[in-house]
Amino acid sequence: MAYYDFQNIYTIEQWHKKQAWITRFLTKNQPDIIGFQEVFSSESLQTLLESAGYPYYAVVDTPTIIDDFIYRSPVVAIASKFPIVEIASVSADQQAASLLGLSEFHFSRQPLRATIDIPHIGLTDCYVTHFKSKRSLFDDPLPDTIVPSETALSRFAGQRLGSWGSAMLRGTEANLLLLAILKQRESSTRPMLLMGDFNDELSSSCLEQLIAGNVFGMSDSDIKRLIGYYRLYDSWDLFTQNTEQVSLLRSPTHYFGSKTSVLDYILLSQEFNAQYLGSLFEVSDYHTEDKHLINSSFDEDGYSTDHAIPCVTLSLRN
C-alpha cells in the first residue's frame, strides 16, 4: 500500500512497524475512546483495534484509491471500548452556507458523529474531524488576467490568496460543523465531545468560534444561564481550572522546524466542566503523548505519526 503517491509506498517491514507503534500506544495509554485522522486502510486498522481490545469501530467515508494501491483523501475514524449505538456523517447546512455566500459546500474531509454509551453518563455524541490544512488552496499560478504569470509577483500573490483561501475553508468547516453539533445537541440533549486535528491554533480567527461563549446584546447572567448548555470547552482549560494549575505550559502537538504549535484538540460540553454544578465528570488529567517526536527511537518510532496526541482523563465527580 502507498499513501498519497508512489514514493510513499510501505514495505512489509515498515507496515508492521507502524502497526506495532499503534499497538504500543494503545497498550500504554489505554484510551476508552480514540479518534483517528488520515486513515488510509480502514479494514487493517479495524483488525488491529479489535485485537487490542476495541470491539467498536466506525468510519463514514472511504479514501480515494488510485491504481489499486495508492491511497489518497484519507478519512477519519473512531474506536471505542464502549458500545457505539449510532454512527452518522455530518453534513453542512446548505442554507447556512448560502448565507455565507457559498453554494453546495462540502467538508474537505467528512466529519463523523458516533453516539457512544459511556458508563455513568449514558449516550454521548462524539465527533471526529480533520479540518483543512494550511496548505495553499491552489497550487497553480494565478491567471495572466490577474498578474503576469511565472513572475515573483505571481508566486507571492498566489501564495497569499491560496493561504487565505485555506483559512476561509478551515474557518467555514469549523463553524458549519459547530452548527451541526449545536443542532444535534438541541434535538438529542446528549453530552458531546469533539476531537481531531484542527490544523490551526484554537485561538486563531478561523477557529475561535468553536469555544466562544459570548452573545452580543445578552447579559452575562443570561449567557451563563442559557448559553453554557450549548458551549464547547477546551479540555486543557478545564484541566488547568479544575486542578488550579493555570501556570502549566501546554505541550505542542506539532513541530515544523523550530516552530511549534497546538493543532490537535479535545473539546467537551458542560457535562464535563467542573465549574458547572450539574456536571457529572471532571477533567482530572491531561497529557500530550509526544515521546515519538521529542525523544524518539527510530526502531520504535520511525513509522509513528508526525503529530503528538492529546490524552484526557475524565473522572466522576465526588
Side-chain angles (χ1 to χ4, degrees):
M1 184 190 79
Y3 57 99
Y4 290 122
D5 55 50
F6 183 79
Q7 284 71 29
N8 291 323
I9 193 168
Y10 276 130
T11 66
I12 293 297
E13 181 183 7
Q14 291 168 340
W15 180 243
H16 287 164
K17 283 187 174 182
K18 187 171 187 67
Q19 291 180 310
W21 187 88
I22 296 173
T23 300
R24 282 196 300 273
F25 169 83
L26 296 172
T27 301
K28 175 185 176 182
N29 292 280
Q30 291 292 316
D32 293 314
I33 300 170
I34 181 169
F36 294 88
Q37 288 78 44
E38 296 205 347
V39 176
F40 290 92
S41 183
S42 180
E43 292 181 357
S44 295
L45 178 60
Q46 183 175 9
T47 299
L48 182 153
L49 290 165
E50 286 178 348
S51 65
Y54 294 83
Y56 305 101
Y57 173 86
V59 293
V60 294
D61 202 1
T62 56
T64 302
I65 304 176
I66 302 172
D67 296 331
D68 295 329
F69 66 94
I70 300 175
Y71 286 65
R72 293 181 180 173
S73 303
V75 301
V76 300
I78 193 169
S80 173
K81 293 182 178 180
F82 310 132
I84 297 176
V85 301
E86 183 178 295
I87 183 72
S89 59
V90 180
S91 299
D93 187 308
Q94 296 303 322
Q95 184 177 359
S98 68
L99 292 175
L100 300 175
L102 305 169
S103 60
E104 292 300 317
F105 181 86
H106 299 284
F107 294 103
S108 57
R109 303 175 181 93
Q110 182 63 58
L112 67 78
R113 172 178 59 83
T115 302
I116 300 178
D117 192 358
I118 300 176
H120 304 292
I121 199 167
L123 298 181
T124 302
D125 290 327
C126 304
Y127 297 83
V128 183
T129 191
H130 187 181
F131 293 139
K132 175 69 177 71
S133 72
K134 290 186 177 180
R135 181 179 176 180
S136 175
L137 193 60
F138 43 82
D139 298 321
D140 296 332
L142 294 175
D144 284 333
T145 51
I146 299 178
V147 293
S149 62
E150 305 303 325
T151 64
L153 173 60
S154 178
R155 292 183 60 188
F156 180 70
Q159 287 191 11
R160 300 289 73 74
L161 286 175
S163 295
W164 177 239
S166 293
M168 287 196 303
L169 178 53
R170 188 164 55 256
T172 302
E173 287 182 329
N175 283 281
L176 289 180
L177 174 58
L178 178 61
L179 176 60
I181 291 173
L182 296 178
K183 290 169 66 176
Q184 175 68 14
R185 170 72 151 174
E186 178 71 5
S187 63
S188 75
T189 70
R190 294 193 283 257
M192 52 190 179
L193 65 87
L194 168 63
M195 54 186 165
D197 177 0
F198 289 9
N199 264 317
D200 211 339
E201 298 277 357
L202 193 56
S203 59
S204 71
S205 59
C206 297
L207 303 182
E208 62 182 355
Q209 300 302 324
L210 286 171
I211 57 170
N214 58 303
V215 178
F216 182 75
M218 184 177 287
S219 67
D220 291 343
S221 60
D222 282 347
I223 289 174
K224 183 177 181 180
R225 180 171 58 89
L226 300 173
I227 303 303
Y229 174 77
Y230 295 102
R231 283 192 58 190
L232 288 170
Y233 301 83
D234 185 356
S235 55
W236 169 259
D237 290 340
L238 296 182
F239 169 64
T240 56
Q241 292 170 13
N242 187 44
T243 56
E244 298 182 349
Q245 300 184 66
V246 293
S247 61
L248 283 177
L249 293 179
R250 189 173 197 165
S251 298
T253 67
H254 190 257
Y255 296 79
F256 186 76
S258 61
K259 183 180 179 181
T260 64
S261 53
V262 180
L263 303 182
D264 305 84
Y265 295 89
I266 301 173
L267 309 184
L268 303 166
S269 60
Q270 70 174 5
E271 286 85 354
F272 308 98
N273 179 6
Q275 304 298 314
Y276 168 58
L277 294 178
S279 64
L280 297 176
F281 284 83
E282 61 187 7
V283 180
S284 58
D285 187 60
Y286 184 112
H287 82 276
T288 303
E289 187 68 27
D290 56 8
K291 181 264 178 187
H292 60 288
L293 296 179
I294 64 174
N295 188 26
S296 63
S297 161
F298 181 78
D299 287 342
E300 290 188 354
D301 306 313
Y303 299 93
S304 53
T305 171
D306 61 348
H307 283 234
I309 304 168
C311 303
V312 169
T313 301
L314 303 173
S315 301
L316 276 172
R317 292 187 64 188
N318 295 326

